[in-house]
Amino acid sequence: MELIPRPEARVWFRRLPKASPLAREAILSAAAAATCAALLVWLGPPGADLAEHAYQRTLFLHHGFALWNNFWYAGRYSFVTYSVLYYPLAALLGIKLLAVATVSTAALAFAVVVGRQWGRAVRWSSRTFAVVWAGIVLSAAFPFALGAALALLAMWTLQARKLGRFAVLAALTLAASPLAFLLLALLLAGFGVSRWRDRSALLAPGLMLAGFGAIELVLWRLFPGGRYPFSFAELAAAVTFCVLGAAVTWRVELAGSLRWVFVVYLAACLAAYLIPSAVGENVARLRYAAVPVAVLILSLRRWRPLPVCLGAFLLAASWNVTPIAGQYVRGRADPAAKPSYWTAAIGYLRAHLTPAYRVEAVDTTGHWPAVYLAEAEIPLARGGFRQDDFPQNELLYDDLAPAPYLRWLRGLGVRFVVLTNAPTDYSARGEAALLRGGRSGLRPVYRTATVTIFEVPSPQPILTGPAPARILRLTATRVIVDLPRPGSYRLAVRFSPYWHADAACLTRGADGMTTIKPRQPGTLQLSFRLNAGSALAAVGGRTRICDDH
């Protein structure tokens, strides 16, 4: 039986009787997943990405759908190309309850999809999914988890030939997580290749996914971002999984459609590695379901030959469990998750930092400075989303020398650097070593048992130009400046075609920052405005905004 049903198979997709074995299996899986997820959410360490979502949720609660945020990365787009659905739901239900709900929903839908497709022979796949998928809580990839749950529900409706419901759920998947939508498209593409002769059944869902995908591409053009790294080691692991999956499903009639899923997924992983984008290594998040996928295909083989199947299973388990175990260990070792950890640093920075400067916080494994400092409205040179580091902060990932480090700090208007005793994120190890070794050229000005604050020598303000200028106020979506005379001023805030300033020209500089040319001296307000005209200009690659009034 195929995922995209043939007309003669309609009887197989009737509504499930409440007491059917498949219904009981699905409910059992959902309950097991909810239990495991709840234990990890309330008793386990904070997830690796929890800090980002906690701050974004706070941002949504305070500012709604504010599409720009000046407190991270010298300015960045918020929500629109990452998740427009997750944060409103997290604001309503809370992060922890929503996490349990999405994990259990995904387990329910997975059990129904594989049960309808292959029957009771693969029930251990749904049971392992219920346990293993709960581990995604330790990564805190919650928008992706929500999108994955919606994607599985979409596959369920496609099995039942409910194209209208499929369209709605596919759109919700995209709204929750473009990455989950991409994986949904890859899965259906793999199934579609295996059913190429039955093209009529593929046309409608294919056109729907293509249409939604085109909308996402337009959004990426309207709100461009950075790129996510993809290491060769991670690529090699993903390629190994795909090659083994295709090999193990070879000549297994019931697994014919799965074989092409592995082929399509392999092509996608190679493309994500070769073509820099915001996807990058994230495409490998199917690893969080590697064990249940392995159990599924090995059950279809009846675990024969046993030595080969056990070897394939152990490799899949290693790929699946490794990030979960690593995230659990790092989460337990990070003391920076508590608000009290940052109280003293925030007090010092509020007393000594003016709107003219930013702060660089040496990143920890949990990215907690991106939450507590930004919530205190202290603008940061970095934030919580790694894809925004590239290319602006790329030098931090390489061997770091004092001179380039100082140029980077001054170019972003940084006056203070905060270093903690919490475990350091891999992207900040060189920076931390430079500061602890006394070779950075920065002077320590404040120290506690857990935090040291350094001052940058001869710091360069965020706003510079032909005369001493001042930033009067910087909020999430506005910058108010005082320009003493006409001329060209550099504002170390990322340029966006949606910035607006009366009687001034705003231009994108070679470094991606904003150049201001006022018509006359005085106070000037830059505000973030999105309208049809600015959106069309952004699609055309607008790099200059002038107001002649």
Side-chain angles (χ1 to χ4, degrees), residues 246-508:
V248 172
T249 54
W250 193 261
R251 294 183 179 178
V252 179
E253 183 179 356
L254 289 174
S257 56
L258 288 173
R259 179 169 63 252
W260 285 106
V261 169
F262 285 113
V263 172
V264 170
Y265 186 53
L266 173 61
C269 290
L270 292 172
Y273 180 79
L274 295 173
I275 304 172
S277 72
V279 176
E281 196 175 288
N282 286 317
V283 75
R285 280 196 181 168
L286 193 60
R287 70 188 302 174
Y288 288 106
V291 166
V293 170
V295 171
L296 171 62
I297 59 179
L298 296 176
S299 296
L300 295 175
R301 289 185 62 93
R302 299 184 180 179
W303 293 80
R304 296 175 184 172
L306 185 59
V308 173
C309 290
L310 286 177
F313 173 79
L314 290 175
L315 285 172
S318 174
W319 197 46
N320 196 148
V321 173
T322 300
I324 296 174
Q327 288 152 1
Y328 178 83
V329 171
R330 288 192 295 270
R332 285 179 59 88
D334 190 353
K338 298 178 180 179
S340 58
Y341 187 90
W342 300 95
T343 302
I346 290 172
Y348 180 87
L349 292 172
R350 280 180 167 168
H352 295 85
L353 187 71
T354 67
Y357 296 98
R358 281 195 183 86
V359 168
E360 158 62 357
V362 179
D363 201 14
T364 67
T365 55
H367 316 296
W368 291 104
V371 178
Y372 296 116
L373 298 185
E375 284 183 350
E377 297 193 343
I378 295 170
L380 301 176
R382 299 186 70 191
F385 288 109
R386 199 173 302 280
Q387 54 266 43
D388 288 312
D389 273 329
F390 297 88
Q392 177 178 286
N393 307 326
E394 189 170 359
L395 86 165
L396 298 177
Y397 290 76
D398 302 321
D399 292 335
L400 198 58
Y405 181 53
L406 281 172
R407 283 197 299 271
W408 176 77
L409 292 171
R410 289 168 178 154
L412 289 174
V414 173
R415 182 179 178 186
F416 295 111
V417 176
V418 179
L419 175 68
T420 71
N421 67 348
T424 306
D425 182 71
Y426 77 87
S427 67
R429 289 171 186 164
E431 183 181 13
L434 201 63
L435 292 165
R436 291 187 178 119
R439 298 183 298 111
S440 65
L442 278 66
R443 179 174 62 93
V445 293
Y446 180 77
R447 195 187 303 271
T448 69
T450 58
V451 175
T452 302
I453 298 179
F454 297 82
E455 186 171 20
V456 177
S458 303
Q460 177 178 300
I462 295 172
L463 180 63
T464 56
R470 294 185 302 153
I471 294 181
L472 302 178
R473 182 166 172 75
L474 187 147
T475 69
T477 58
R478 290 187 303 147
V479 185
I480 303 175
V481 300
D482 179 39
L483 308 177
R485 71 180 189 209
S488 181
Y489 295 83
R490 178 185 183 268
L491 180 69
V493 172
R494 287 187 181 183
F495 176 83
S496 169
Y498 308 112
W499 281 124
H500 174 82
D502 293 331
C505 280
L506 308 177
T507 308
R508 186 185 189 278

Side-chain angles (χ1 to χ4, degrees), residues 191-237:
F191 286 118
V193 171
S194 69
R195 286 283 310 280
W196 181 246
R197 293 183 180 180
D198 191 15
R199 291 185 291 273
S200 60
L202 305 174
L203 182 61
L207 289 176
M208 291 175 188
L209 293 181
F212 293 138
I215 293 172
E216 182 64 17
L217 290 176
V218 170
L219 287 175
W220 280 14
R221 179 64 178 176
L222 290 171
F223 306 99
R227 64 180 187 271
Y228 199 96
F230 198 165
S231 68
F232 182 77
E234 289 297 332
L235 173 68

